Amino acid sequence: MLDDRDRKLLDLLQRDADSALTDLSERVNLSPSACSRRITRLREEGYIDRHVMVLDRARMNVATTVFVMLKTAHHTADWLERFRAGVIDIPEIVEVHRLAGNLDYIIKIVVTDIAHYDAIYKRLVSRIDLFDVSAYISMETLKNEQAVPTGYAS
């Protein structure tokens, strides 16, 4: 069961996992050793999934985002496994979601430019049968938050 300190600690860590333990402990009003024990417990209980560094996409030369909406005529477990295998090893594909509603999947792809997207598109359609593919180029990112709300966890 999480308490308010746990939630505050998780909120701080997900915004900056590089925060010094002394800073974190002061912000949640705990000693550094007690704070360290809480972080260890939160990791062991699965609240902390992993630690990552968020890279600057412009500096990495993949500043263009393309959202691809997919429809498929196939809804079998075999097709889903082929689809999963088809997208998993393409590093430019950073998110894939199965949807409810008119579309089956949405894919977020980060690329250098539209020619780069075209190469990814060709790789994807050579691996799996798709019924309908629509691409939408992001013109501007209005919000890109990695942190999730901590108030709902128990």
Side-chain angles (χ1 to χ4, degrees), residues 11-77:
D11 191 49
L12 293 168
L13 285 169
Q14 71 178 334
R15 293 177 192 289
D16 184 3
D18 257 356
S19 296
L21 183 60
T22 54
D23 293 339
L24 290 170
S25 62
E26 286 176 14
R27 304 233 6 228
V28 296
N29 200 25
L30 289 170
S31 70
S33 60
C35 188
S36 177
R37 285 192 302 273
R38 278 190 187 236
I39 293 170
T40 299
R41 178 181 55 82
L42 291 167
R43 186 178 299 112
E44 289 171 352
E45 291 177 359
Y47 290 100
I48 298 172
D49 184 36
R50 64 183 187 245
H51 295 271
V52 298
M53 293 289 177
V54 178
L55 304 181
D56 183 296
R57 289 189 27 215
R59 297 276 306 191
M60 300 308 296
N61 198 29
V62 287
T64 301
T65 302
V66 181
F67 293 96
V68 178
M69 311 301 186
L70 300 178
K71 286 185 183 181
T72 179
H74 309 283
H75 296 277
T76 64

Side-chain angles (χ1 to χ4, degrees), residues 2-18:
L2 295 181
D3 62 19
D4 288 341
R5 283 185 176 151
D6 291 331
R7 286 185 186 87
K8 174 78 172 175
L9 190 54
L10 288 170
D11 191 49
L12 293 168
L13 285 169
Q14 71 178 334
R15 293 177 192 289
D16 184 3
D18 257 356

Side-chain angles (χ1 to χ4, degrees), residues 64-132:
T64 301
T65 302
V66 181
F67 293 96
V68 178
M69 311 301 186
L70 300 178
K71 286 185 183 181
T72 179
H74 309 283
H75 296 277
T76 64
D78 179 57
W79 184 92
L80 179 57
E81 281 309 309
R82 281 186 286 125
F83 177 69
R84 190 181 318 268
V87 299
I88 202 79
D89 68 341
I90 299 175
E92 293 87 349
I93 296 177
V94 295
E95 289 185 41
V96 179
H97 300 268
R98 189 165 57 91
L99 305 173
N102 298 2
L103 300 168
D104 294 311
Y105 297 90
I106 184 171
I107 300 175
K108 180 179 178 183
I109 303 174
V110 296
V111 291
T112 57
D113 55 27
I114 299 310
H116 187 184
Y117 163 68
D118 189 45
I120 300 301
Y121 168 82
K122 289 173 182 172
R123 278 177 71 187
L124 188 60
V125 298
S126 73
R127 295 175 178 198
I128 30 185
D129 296 326
L130 299 170
F131 176 71
D132 186 23

